[in-house]
DNA sequence: CAGACAAGCGGACCGTCGGTCCGCATATCC
DNA sequence: GGATATGCGGACCGACGGTCCGCTTGTCTG
């Protein structure tokens, strides 16, 4: 990749972030992103393929730290921890991530509406959660339960809960729900 | 309302149904609906206000029988039945409804993406489920849990589960999930 | 440093969509 | 049968995601 291409790529990602933060997820069109990045529209599409691709990449970037934490032993998130605690810790992290990136979650959701199960980040999360559910609560349809648990971070729901009680409420509601489910 | 207006209204609803059944939820634009109904586009908007309104109305129509069943005593769905059984029965009905109207659920979801909590049918379902959860499992955030349980009928998830194991799998996964949650 | 070539760029352009508007038609009522 | 409001249709609009192609510019070679 040419140096200017790398620079533009970064500029586009940062512009998308800024627009998401400034206006809602609804008002971030690719024309706007391109303009804000000081770049032609074609460049956005060449780099990211589509609106979907852009937001997938952005989410992947924001989810990277979590993915690393999940992979490294030592924390309650990492391998070695008991499945139930590991799952609860993961969901708690996800709650934080969703709160900090609410607009991005919303935009990502909209963009991936067709075939959300094709999103790499979602797939990774789902695999992780399903595996832990399978260990922590055998007998359940683990894949189904994992989709349901990830559904807790639907942007509308998160926004609604946060509007009423902030992240604290979200975290405790999620935890309460998961604990009830896991028995 | 004038007689022709009533007729057109019905024609539009039926045309929307047919198109949903024939092509996926994705390919049902209001132009198409209008054309299929043998009606001008303006008429669709005068009757239903917006795409959202049309699909809300269609869903309300399909959900009417369920609403009636919930309101009348005698069945496991109706008042008087023990909350836990009542909730499980309601979710089971919802699974059937979702399966029979998958395309409609998908279209409705898309159309109500902004502010899904404003949809009258969703609000009614949520109130019902939250009340039952509150009775059957005190201590949970009932409103949150109700949103989560209704999230089980996300069109993508339903479609995914049904593709693998039909309605049977959906029903049993939903039931298993709800039973685990309620303890 | 020069020249050649690929890689990248930008923005005009396209089809589609949800939604609006207004001049015309027609059901309804007296 | 005439008056009136209710309803109708479809041309029109702005915004959007996505494409395309002629021009530019970074990079690599000698």
């Amino acid at each position: 990749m040419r140096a200017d291409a790398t620079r533009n790529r970064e500029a586009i990602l940062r512009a998308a972030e800024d627009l998401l933060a400034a206006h809602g997820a609804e008002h971030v069109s690719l024309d706007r992103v391109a303009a804000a990045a000081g770049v032609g529209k074609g460049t956005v599409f060449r780099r990211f393929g589509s609106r979907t691709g852009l937001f997938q990449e952005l989410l992947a970037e924001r989810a990277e730290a979590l993915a690393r934490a999940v992979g490294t032993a030592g924390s309650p998130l990492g391998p070695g921890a008991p499945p139930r605690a590991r799952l609860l810790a993961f969901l708690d992290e996800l709650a934080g991530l969703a709160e900090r990136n609410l607009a991005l979650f919303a935009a990502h959701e909209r963009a991936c509406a067709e075939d959300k199960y094709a999103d790499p980040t979602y797939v990774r999360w789902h695999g992780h959660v399903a595996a832990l559910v399978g260990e922590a609560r055998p007998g359940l349809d683990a894949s189904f339960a994992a989709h349901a648990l990830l559904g807790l971070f639907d942007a509308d729901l998160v926004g609604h809960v946060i509007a009423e009680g902030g992240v604290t409420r979200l975290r405790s509601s999620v935890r309460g729900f998961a604990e009830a489910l896991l028995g």
Side-chain angles (χ1 to χ4, degrees), chain A:
Chain A
M1 195 153 85
R2 254 163 55 170
D4 53 347
T6 309
R7 236 177 309 135
N8 281 337
R9 188 194 139 85
E10 204 58 26
I12 291 166
L13 287 171
R14 298 293 78 85
E17 281 189 341
D18 291 353
L19 288 179
L20 281 174
H23 324 10
E26 323 296 337
H27 302 97
V28 179
S29 70
L30 295 199
D31 294 85
R32 281 188 203 287
V33 171
V39 133
K41 199 181 185 181
T43 303
V44 176
F45 281 90
R46 198 166 332 91
R47 278 306 131 224
F48 298 99
S50 68
R51 181 185 176 78
T52 301
L54 171 60
F55 288 113
Q56 285 186 350
E57 200 107 353
L58 211 42
L59 182 63
E61 190 181 285
R62 301 284 189 100
E64 201 204 321
L66 177 55
R68 243 182 299 110
V70 164
T72 67
S75 82
L77 285 169
R84 183 193 160 100
R86 213 179 158 198
L87 179 52
L88 291 173
F90 183 73
L91 294 176
D92 198 62
E93 285 302 315
L94 232 41
L97 194 68
E99 187 257 343
R100 289 191 305 275
N101 301 283
L102 186 48
L104 172 58
F105 269 53
H108 176 266
E109 216 163 80
R110 273 177 62 86
C112 298
E114 331 273 290
D115 208 11
K116 78 169 129 180
Y117 303 141
D119 175 56
T121 303
Y122 186 87
V123 168
R124 210 167 43 229
W125 289 351
H126 178 264
H128 185 58
V129 171
L132 292 175
V133 168
E135 288 185 71
R137 189 73 156 80
L140 274 188
D141 180 338
S143 170
F144 184 79
H147 285 304
L149 287 172
L150 291 178
L152 300 181
F153 304 100
D154 170 276
D156 292 332
L157 179 51
V158 168
H160 186 251
V161 171
I162 280 183
E164 287 180 5
V167 215
T168 313
R169 161 98 190 273
L170 178 63
R171 288 193 136 103
S172 77
S173 291
V174 167
R175 182 178 193 93
F177 189 86
E179 283 177 341
L181 182 71
L182 299 175

